[in-house]
Amino acid sequence: VAGFLNGEVITMTDLLYGLILPSGADAAIALAEKISGGEAEFVKLMNKKADELGLNDTHFVNASGLFDGDHYTTAYDMAVIIETALQNPVCKKVLSTYRYTTSSTPQHPDGIELSATLFDYMYGTEPETATVLGGKTGFVNESGYCIASYGRSNETGNEYIVVTLKNSSRWPAIHGQIDLYKQFAK
């Protein structure tokens, strides 16, 4: 959760940061309700978008990514999702933010300080061949530690999307990302 409370009035921008940086399921549900009137209707929009993008190996059941046997994707499809999100300037900004403080509310007068799990994990271990610019982490027991990131080669300026799935713990996920950037971002 991002830490939002029942009855708290939150901006859409704060919900986006709450969704992406700490993987807030509270923000996911609030966004789904605001956009579509409920999570079930929002999931229909998610699956429609997946179909439009030609993602034949992706199916959504919920807005938060919590486990369900019928909720799945592949590394390739996740790369397409990240690539599509990066075309939206707001999404790109949120995906590349390390720290963000939400707006003041009566429940949180100083806002809520959020930090990106991706950057928390990778800080100090970045690959020397590339700069990781942003992305998103994910974890549920059934699918392990997953990361979808994007970065730029320090030598050529070429941009890359790297997706690693089903890692047994945080560090194999991080090291898998770093190894792929080292191998391909030369």
Side-chain angles (χ1 to χ4, degrees):
V1 298
F4 301 117
L5 301 174
N6 286 338
E8 188 170 10
V9 177
I10 305 153
T11 68
M12 293 294 280
T13 300
D14 287 351
L15 287 173
L16 287 172
Y17 281 100
L19 170 69
I20 299 300
L21 274 60
S23 298
D26 51 351
I29 301 304
L31 284 164
E33 289 176 356
K34 180 64 177 174
I35 292 168
S36 305
E39 187 174 16
E41 289 303 311
F42 189 75
V43 168
K44 288 178 187 175
L45 293 175
M46 293 171 66
N47 285 315
K48 180 180 177 196
K49 186 65 173 181
D51 288 342
E52 290 170 4
L53 293 173
L55 307 181
N56 298 321
D57 297 311
T58 295
H59 184 261
F60 300 108
V61 175
N62 59 60
S64 62
L66 293 176
F67 179 76
D68 183 294
D70 202 29
H71 187 102
Y72 53 84
T73 193
T74 63
Y76 175 82
D77 285 4
M78 185 54 62
V80 172
I81 291 168
I82 288 288
E83 182 179 40
T84 302
L86 292 173
Q87 294 171 18
N88 179 301
V90 173
C91 289
K92 188 172 187 173
K93 181 178 179 182
V94 173
L95 286 165
S96 66
T97 298
Y98 181 22
R99 296 198 185 280
Y100 177 83
T101 302
T102 64
S103 305
S104 173
T105 67
Q107 296 87 344
H108 293 101
D110 296 325
I112 301 171
E113 186 174 323
L114 305 172
S115 65
T117 308
L118 173 74
F119 293 121
D120 285 342
Y121 285 0
M122 292 190 96
Y123 183 72
T125 61
E126 301 90 348
E128 60 274 358
T129 59
T131 301
V132 177
L133 301 171
K136 177 79 184 81
T137 62
F139 171 82
V140 292
N141 287 328
E142 295 82 0
S143 57
Y145 289 81
C146 304
I147 302 174
S149 70
Y150 69 98
R152 182 178 302 119
S153 167
N154 293 336
E155 186 176 317
T156 66
N158 292 339
E159 295 184 352
Y160 297 88
I161 292 174
V162 176
V163 179
T164 53
L165 306 174
K166 207 159 176 76
N167 290 278
S168 59
S169 73
R170 175 187 331 174
W171 294 114
I174 296 299
H175 292 298
Q177 289 270 313
I178 291 167
D179 289 347
L180 287 168
Y181 278 111
K182 284 180 179 178
Q183 182 177 353
F184 293 102
K186 295 179 180 180

